[in-house]
Amino acid sequence: MPTEQHETLKWIGGVDGCLRMIDQTRLPVEFAEIDCRDAAAVWEAIKMLRVRGAPAIGIAAAYGVCVGLQTVLDADEPAFFRRLRETVEYLASSRPTAVNLFWALKRMETKADSLRGRPVRKIAESLLTEARAIHEEDRQMCRAIGRHGAELLRDGQGVLTHCNAGGLATADYGTALAVFYSAAESGKTLHVFADETRPLLQGARLTAWELQQRGIDVTLICDSTAAQVMREGKVQAVVTGADRIAANGDAANKIGTYCLAVLARAHDLPFYIAAPSSTFDLSISSGAEIPIEQRDPREITHGFGRQTAPDGIQVYNPAFDVTPAELIAAIICEKGVIRPVNEKTIARCFLKAREQEGKSGATNETTASDSDKAV
Ligand code: MRU
C-alpha cells in the first residue's frame, strides 16, 4: 500500500516557534500550509475548519496555548497566568462540540498550574513539551484504534464512512480511517464508500483525497446514496469517528451520522464508532447534554461560492448530530473494543485501563496488552 501521508499539524522551532498546519479548506485542489503565530490565527483556523476533526482540534489548541504565551515569556508570573487563562478561554470559544478541544486546554492549564513558582519561560517550555506529548499520544492512539478496529472487518468487505476521521483529523492516520488503513496493512482488501458529507464536503474533499493518496480503493457517494448501497449489499459495516461521547455511549459526530446509524440498523449492518479516549466526556450522562454547533446558513445557501437557494430562505444548519448508544454496535478506542455500548462497559473500560496504567507506571499511553478483546 502506498503510504503517502502528510503531517496535518507540526510545531516549527522552539518555544518561540509557530504551528504549521495543512489548510484543509483548500483541499483537494490545492495543498497549502499556513503558519499560525498567535492565538488569533489558531482560533481562526479552528473556527474556519482549516484544521478540523476532534483530535486535530485538540492538538491545535494545545499548540495555540504555546503561541498565545509568546508575548509573556519575560513577564512576571501573574501576568503569565493571566495571559494563559485568557488564551485558554479564547481558544475554547472557537468550536463547542468536539470535547478534545476542552480536554487539551484543560490538560495544558493543569500542567501550567503544577509548575507555579518556576521561571515563566521554563513553564512555557514545559507547556510546549506537553503539547508535543498530546500530539505524540494521539499518534499512538490512532495506531491502537486501527489495530483493534481492523479485527472487526473481514477481507473483501465494503465499508461506509462519513465526514473525515482520517489523518487530516488526527496526528497520525485517523480513527475510522485508521481501521481501514490497518486492515489494509494486515492484507485485507476493503472497498470504502465515502459519503460526500454535506454541506462542507469533508468526505468528498478530504476523505476521498486521503484514501486515494494512500492507495485505498474508494468510491465517493452522495449522502443520500447510503441507503441504496446498503440495500444493494455493497457495504457490510459502517465506521465513523466521533466528536464527543457521553458516559452512556451516545456519540456526537458530523451531521448525517445518526441517519447512517438508523440505516445500518434497518439493514442489519454493524455501525461502529472509532474514537480515542480524549473524545469521551464522562462528565455528561447522555448525548442530550452535548452542545451542538450551529453554523452559518450560507454554508448551505452559498456552498463553495455559488448561491443554491433563494434569498431570505430559513436555514437550519447544525454541524453535528447525536447517535444513541443503542444503535452503536461497538466503540473502538485505543483501550480496546467497547461492546455492548452502555454506561457500564464504558466505565469498566476506563477503569481497567487506569488499573493497567497504575501497574505499568504509564500515564496516558496505551500498552500492547491493553485489550485486544471486547470489554
Ligand atoms: O466539522 P468537522 O469537520 O470538524 O467534523 C469532524 C467530524 O465530525 C469527525 O468525524 C470527528 O471529528 C472525528 S475525527 C477523528
Side-chain angles (χ1 to χ4, degrees):
M1 171 175 86
T3 50
E4 186 76 41
Q5 195 175 345
H6 306 279
E7 266 191 278
T8 300
L9 295 155
K10 50 190 164 210
W11 182 262
I12 307 295
V15 73
D16 50 3
C18 70
L19 172 61
R20 181 166 296 165
M21 62 174 72
I22 299 173
D23 182 349
Q24 299 187 32
T25 61
R26 290 158 80 171
L27 286 171
V29 180
E30 207 185 331
F31 181 90
E33 291 180 310
I34 50 170
D35 287 347
C36 297
R37 298 183 183 281
D38 54 34
V42 177
W43 187 95
E44 193 271 351
I46 296 173
K47 180 80 188 167
M48 302 311 290
L49 275 56
R50 299 186 200 288
V51 59
R52 29 68 48 209
I57 293 173
I59 299 161
Y63 285 127
V65 170
C66 299
V67 287
L69 290 172
Q70 285 172 345
T71 54
V72 287
L73 291 180
D74 297 312
D76 58 18
E77 188 178 291
F80 181 87
F81 274 90
R82 232 182 356 263
R83 174 76 187 151
L84 174 71
R85 302 271 177 261
E86 282 163 14
T87 307
V88 164
E89 270 173 37
Y90 173 59
L91 291 169
S93 70
S94 56
R95 293 189 78 186
T97 303
V99 75
N100 309 59
L101 174 73
F102 309 98
W103 169 86
L105 290 171
K106 181 84 200 141
R107 189 164 150 182
M108 295 294 279
E109 228 181 349
T110 306
K111 180 76 194 174
D113 281 335
S114 75
L115 298 171
R116 276 182 188 275
R118 310 244 175 110
V120 297
R121 190 170 272 272
K122 288 272 173 249
I123 301 178
E125 282 166 9
S126 297
L127 287 176
L128 177 57
T129 304
E130 191 71 4
R132 289 189 196 279
I134 289 172
H135 198 170
E136 177 53 33
E137 286 163 23
D138 189 66
R139 270 190 200 106
Q140 294 174 19
M141 290 196 264
C142 290
R143 293 286 154 167
I145 287 170
R147 277 199 307 278
H148 294 308
E151 293 185 12
L152 301 174
L153 302 178
R154 287 194 307 280
D155 187 33
Q157 283 190 324
V159 287
L160 175 61
T161 192
H162 191 65
C163 195
N164 173 268
L168 288 164
T170 61
D172 191 61
Y173 66 178
T175 56
L177 298 197
V179 174
F180 307 154
Y181 293 137
S182 182
E185 281 162 9
S186 65
K188 292 176 188 163
T189 302
L190 298 177
H191 185 86
V192 182
F193 287 87
D195 269 358
E196 62 176 354
T197 317
R198 276 196 46 81
L200 294 182
L201 305 184
Q202 288 93 330
R205 293 187 300 105
L206 308 177
T207 298
W209 178 79
E210 190 182 320
L211 290 170
Q212 196 179 54
Q213 291 269 313
R214 293 178 61 100
I216 302 282
D217 188 22
V218 55
T219 299
L220 178 64
I221 57 171
C222 295
D223 300 340
S224 47
T225 305
Q228 188 60 20
V229 293
M230 289 181 188
R231 172 173 278 177
E232 289 173 6
K234 289 186 163 70
V235 303
Q236 283 69 49
V238 181
V239 190
T240 75
D243 288 84
R244 193 186 291 230
I245 302 173
N248 72 344
D250 292 351
N253 192 49
K254 179 54 55 193
I255 190 75
T257 303
Y258 172 37
C259 182
L260 281 184
V262 171
L263 289 176
R265 174 62 55 89
H267 291 85
D268 204 18
L269 300 175
F271 173 85
Y272 300 120
I273 291 269
S277 51
S278 54
T279 299
F280 286 76
D281 182 353
L282 302 183
S283 74
I284 57 172
S285 55
S286 84
E289 292 171 69
I290 299 178
I292 300 293
E293 179 181 10
Q294 302 293 325
R295 290 195 62 94
D296 190 340
R298 288 180 67 86
E299 290 178 352
I300 292 181
T301 58
H302 293 71
F304 302 96
R306 173 153 184 258
Q307 183 169 349
T308 54
D311 286 327
I313 194 76
Q314 288 184 61
V315 170
Y316 178 46
N317 186 19
F320 301 96
D321 57 27
V322 176
T323 299
E326 65 261 25
L327 293 179
I328 304 170
I331 296 178
I332 306 154
C333 85
E334 82 280 7
K335 300 177 191 302
V337 175
I338 302 173
R339 171 161 56 186
V341 178
N342 59 46
E343 197 169 343
K344 273 199 191 119
T345 53
I346 291 174
R348 197 183 310 144
C349 174
F350 275 75
L351 184 70
K352 203 167 117 195
R354 254 203 311 275
E355 282 168 6
Q356 277 172 354
E357 279 164 16
K359 271 189 217 141
S360 68
T363 48
N364 258 295
E365 288 166 26
T366 307
T367 56
S369 63
D370 251 18
S371 153
D372 286 316
K373 47 194 183 301
V375 286

